[in-house]
Amino acid sequence: MSSCNPLLANVCSRSRQLARHVCPSREMAHRHRSSSRWRGGAICRRCHHPHISVLAAKMAALENTKAAIVTASGMAAISSTLLTLLKSGDHMLVQQSLYGGSEIFFTNDLPDWGITFTRVDADKPDTWAAAVKSNTKVFYIETISNPLLEIPDIPAVAAFCQQKGLTSVIDNTFASPAVFRPADVGIDVVCESATKYLNGHSDISAGVVAGSAEFIKRLVSRLNHLGGTLDPHACFLLQRGLKTLPLRVRQQSTNALALAHFLENQPQVSRVLYPGLPDHPYFPRVQKLFGSQAGGVVSFELTGGAPAAEMMFQAMNIPLVAPSLGAVESLITRPATTTHVGMSQEERQRCGISDGLVRVACGIEATPDLIEDFELALASIGGKANALSLGSSNGPALGEVLQNVNGIDEAAQAVEESGLGKAPSDGLSGSPDINVSQLKQNKNILQQI
């Protein structure tokens, strides 16, 4: 060893120390198993470490359940939960509109394990019984659906499952325990992506499962074999994030409500989805279950569809274009290109997710600053958005015309043939329709489209 580089020798020495700490020898493992302090714990860091115990206890307290466990991601929480509750030949009920990752897991992966599911309308309890089979074991829903922000009748789901002997499972990511605790209304198992609101700083990937002590014990065994354990440093960061959870969610909900009110009154916006709005169909349910907060996510559609949304993204300064949510900074995305990109267009249409749907996850910025940024961005696309949305008198909308074209020349030809290249004749204010010369000159817009 004397001939080795001193720096390399030091690295090797530190590596051996780390190896002894993370991967104990057989003798050390034997001593731990023989010790009265072991109590059935795990030696391997993949299976268990002190940070998990501390964090799991905090999460159980937050969710008001007997036990909890943290996982390496939200999908690790969901997949390990369902693979603990279901086996080959089993069946479950699922809410119609769900997070894209869950949809793909249910559609593409669960069949490989021989597990089937039936979609049900979570707003129509009288239809659920007809979907139950002799092998149905689980009813899976989301507190606030992603990205349409639908809120199922959660107490009714809990009561139905108790009556039918099913296990109710809910993804509480969009609410977090700062807004709603599903266990309080009888839900059996709560899953969350801790990457989002629970952590709140966009610097880890993590998940949580909370439920009965018996179920969590079973799940931990399955989770260890699937390798979804959260590492110690991520546990430390998640505990840091939990300290400010209620403060962050309060401001995020305030921003979301203010933004939703603002968007309702903008001519470039055709539809606003936020259950905290008084005229939203789920507003009475929000008041009953959540109280004064409806979460920090707003979804909406522009009259110009996807092309207008992409131009708006380019004009914004505060929100980052990213698919996550629950962070201190505001994030904006089109689910069709991010969270639900793994689904076909037909599948997205079945769920009600258009290509132009925009999802905003509000951060903790000053509310006036956030509103002003949206106001300026919408104003910057005002005339262009008119051109993108024309369709009633001038043929198809530009978004449809450009849907299957490649290159600027082909796009210009498509616009010219559609009639959208002519000056507007319906008296609309603002810029004329985007014409051929504009299309050829503005390559940046076309590249975003």
Side-chain angles (χ1 to χ4, degrees):
M1 196 67 168
S2 59
S3 62
C4 291
N5 184 302
L7 179 60
L8 180 59
N10 185 48
V11 170
C12 292
S13 176
R14 292 178 63 85
S15 297
R16 286 194 297 272
Q17 293 173 15
L18 180 62
R20 284 196 296 269
H21 181 65
V22 176
C23 304
S25 65
R26 291 183 179 180
E27 292 76 15
M28 184 183 293
H30 177 74
R31 288 200 301 271
H32 276 275
R33 290 191 180 95
S34 302
S35 171
S36 60
R37 296 171 59 191
W38 189 63
R39 296 190 179 91
I43 294 300
C44 180
R45 281 290 179 98
R46 174 179 57 78
C47 299
H48 189 76
H49 51 77
H51 295 274
I52 285 182
S53 300
V54 173
L55 189 53
K58 291 182 178 181
M59 287 311 310
L62 278 173
E63 298 286 3
N64 196 26
T65 59
K66 295 296 183 182
I69 190 64
V70 289
T71 67
S73 69
M75 281 309 302
I78 292 169
S79 59
S80 59
T81 292
L82 294 178
L83 293 177
T84 300
L85 293 170
L86 301 167
K87 64 181 185 302
S88 180
D90 285 344
H91 170 264
M92 68 175 182
L93 306 181
V94 303
Q95 178 181 331
Q96 284 181 343
S97 177
L98 297 168
Y99 164 58
S102 301
E103 283 275 1
I104 295 169
F105 177 63
F106 297 163
T107 304
N108 297 352
D109 297 327
L110 286 184
D112 291 341
W113 279 281
I115 298 169
T116 58
F117 66 93
T118 299
R119 302 181 194 277
V120 296
D121 189 334
D123 273 335
K124 297 180 179 179
D126 56 331
T127 65
W128 299 343
V132 175
K133 303 178 180 180
S134 59
N135 58 340
T136 304
K137 306 296 182 183
V138 168
F139 195 156
Y140 182 92
I141 59 174
E142 293 178 351
T143 305
I144 305 174
S145 72
N146 179 6
L148 300 179
L149 310 183
E150 298 168 338
I151 302 173
D153 191 342
I154 301 172
V157 170
F160 178 81
C161 289
Q162 291 171 3
Q163 177 187 5
K164 297 293 184 179
L166 310 180
T167 300
S168 54
V169 179
I170 194 167
D171 180 349
N172 196 44
T173 299
F174 267 49
S176 86
V179 171
F180 180 64
R181 300 196 300 185
D184 290 347
V185 298
I187 294 295
D188 297 311
V189 181
V190 181
C191 299
E192 294 205 28
S193 171
T195 310
K196 314 303 192 299
Y197 287 108
L198 293 175
N199 177 56
H201 291 78
S202 301
D203 52 8
I204 66 166
S205 176
V208 172
V209 184
S212 68
E214 184 274 335
F215 171 72
I216 295 299
K217 183 177 180 180
R218 290 171 52 206
L219 182 138
V220 168
S221 176
R222 180 59 56 90
L223 181 69
N224 289 341
H225 296 149
L226 295 175
T229 309
L230 191 61
D231 70 89
H233 186 62
C235 288
F236 162 74
L237 292 174
L238 181 51
Q239 289 188 71
R240 167 217 56 186
L242 291 177
K243 295 177 181 179
T244 58
L245 174 64
L247 300 176
R248 289 184 283 103
V249 171
R250 188 180 306 129
Q251 179 62 21
Q252 288 162 331
S253 295
T254 297
N255 280 345
L257 180 59
L259 179 61
H261 278 300
F262 166 78
L263 292 171
E264 275 193 313
N265 298 310
Q266 304 310 304
Q268 302 95 332
V269 178
S270 60
R271 182 187 184 202
V272 179
L273 301 174
Y274 185 66
L277 291 171
D279 59 349
H280 193 281
Y282 289 117
F283 183 68
R285 196 166 287 172
V286 167
Q287 291 183 305
K288 178 181 178 181
L289 297 176
F290 305 162
S292 60
Q293 299 182 113
V297 177
V298 180
S299 295
F300 65 96
E301 292 180 341
L302 294 171
T303 56
E310 293 295 337
M311 287 190 288
M312 182 188 71
F313 290 176
Q314 293 299 312
M316 305 206 75
N317 293 309
I318 291 181
L320 302 175
V321 181
S324 192
L325 61 119
V328 292
E329 62 273 357
S330 290
L331 305 174
I332 191 167
T333 189
R334 282 199 299 124
T337 63
T338 53
T339 59
H340 292 70
V341 71
M343 300 168 60
S344 68
Q345 189 172 34
E346 292 73 21
E347 290 172 325
R348 290 196 299 270
Q349 288 176 346
R350 172 187 55 76
C351 296
I353 301 169
S354 69
D355 286 349
L357 183 71
V358 175
R359 193 193 75 185
V360 184
C362 293
I364 63 171
E365 301 91 353
T367 307
D369 292 346
L370 188 62
I371 299 298
E372 181 183 37
D373 196 40
F374 272 89
E375 183 176 16
L376 293 173
L378 288 172
S380 74
I381 65 168
K384 300 170 187 174
N386 284 339
L388 291 170
S389 63
L390 288 176
S392 58
S393 61
N394 288 22
L398 183 60
E400 299 175 20
V401 172
L402 298 180
Q403 194 169 32
N404 298 308
V405 302
N406 295 300
I408 292 176
D409 292 336
E410 188 177 333
Q413 182 180 353
V415 170
E416 192 169 23
E417 292 175 353
S418 72
L420 286 176
K422 302 175 182 177
S425 57
D426 53 5
L428 285 175
S429 60
S431 306
D433 296 19
I434 292 180
N435 55 41
V436 175
S437 62
Q438 285 176 310
L439 285 171
K440 290 180 177 179
Q441 292 169 6
N442 200 336
K443 296 186 177 182
N444 290 332
I445 291 179
L446 275 178
Q447 287 169 353
Q448 292 304 319
I449 293 173

